[in-house]
Amino acid sequence: MDIGIVSMRYAKALMEYAKSMGAEDTLYKEFCMLDRSFRKHPDLRMALENPILTIREKLTLICTAAVGDAPAGREFARFMTLVLKNRRENFLQYICLSFLDLYRKDKHIGVGKLITAVPVSQEVRERIHDSASSLLHASMELQTEVDPSIEGGFIFDINDFRLDASIATQLKKVKQQFIDKNRRIV
C-alpha cells in the first residue's frame, strides 16, 4: 500500500476532527514536538515497529515523545490509540508530516530554514523573519542552523525554494568552470 495515501488519509481525517473540536492548534504543537523527536531519535521509529511492545507501551512512548512529562491532549491520545489499534504505527512519522503540512497550508504558515557558518544575532534573525513574512504574505516559522562546512555566506530554504549564497557552493562553481574550460583546451 502506498505510504503517501495512507498517511494523507489519516492526516486529513485528524485535521477535520481537530477543526470540529477546536483543537487544531494544540495538536499542531504536539505534532511539531513529535516530529522533532522522530528527527532527533531515529530509534523511536524502530521502537514503535517492535512487535514485542504492547499498544499501551507504544502509546506511552509516543505521548512522551510529543509532550514530555505533561499530559497529552485528549484528541492526540485518542488519535494515537486509533493509529496503534489499526497497526499503522509504521506510518506515524509520515502521518505527522502530512498533518503539519495540512495545518500550515490551512493557517497560511511558511517554513524557512537559515543555515549559516556562524551564529546570527537575534536582530538579523528577526529581520529575515519579517522580510520573509511580508514576501509570502503569511506568518513564518524560521529555524536557524549553524554549519561551518559552508565556510561563509548563507543558505536560505523557504517552502520549496532554496537561495544558496554560501562560499562553499561558489567555490564549487568556480572549480567546475575551470574544469569545463580545461576540457575544451585539451
Side-chain angles (χ1 to χ4, degrees), residues 3-125:
I3 293 171
I5 292 173
V6 173
S7 61
M8 189 52 82
R9 283 183 182 170
Y10 274 86
K12 282 182 181 177
L14 177 62
M15 188 67 175
E16 288 179 26
Y17 175 70
K19 281 184 176 181
S20 69
M21 299 300 285
E24 65 263 23
D25 296 332
T26 306
L27 277 171
Y28 177 71
K29 290 175 186 170
E30 291 169 337
F31 272 97
C32 281
M33 188 63 183
L34 184 61
D35 178 44
R36 265 187 243 125
S37 296
F38 272 122
R39 289 181 194 195
K40 264 187 161 176
H41 308 288
D43 296 338
L44 175 62
R45 189 171 168 166
M46 290 191 311
L48 290 175
E49 293 175 0
N50 186 349
I52 296 173
L53 294 177
T54 64
I55 290 177
R56 184 173 298 251
E57 291 171 329
K58 289 180 181 181
L59 181 62
T60 304
L61 183 64
I62 293 168
C63 289
T64 302
V67 293
D69 295 334
R74 185 174 150 258
E75 291 81 9
F76 183 80
R78 287 186 68 197
F79 180 74
M80 289 305 150
T81 304
L82 174 76
V83 169
L84 293 170
K85 282 186 180 176
N86 290 336
R87 299 191 179 274
R88 300 292 193 191
E89 56 267 14
N90 54 335
F91 298 116
L92 187 57
Q93 187 174 10
Y94 303 109
I95 293 170
C96 178
L97 293 172
S98 298
F99 178 78
L100 292 174
D101 195 40
L102 286 173
Y103 180 88
R104 288 175 180 142
K105 284 180 183 173
D106 187 55
K107 301 290 183 178
H108 304 291
I109 299 173
V111 179
K113 185 175 184 181
L114 178 66
I115 303 169
T116 58
V118 294
V120 294
S121 67
Q122 186 65 25
E123 179 186 327
V124 171
R125 187 181 186 286

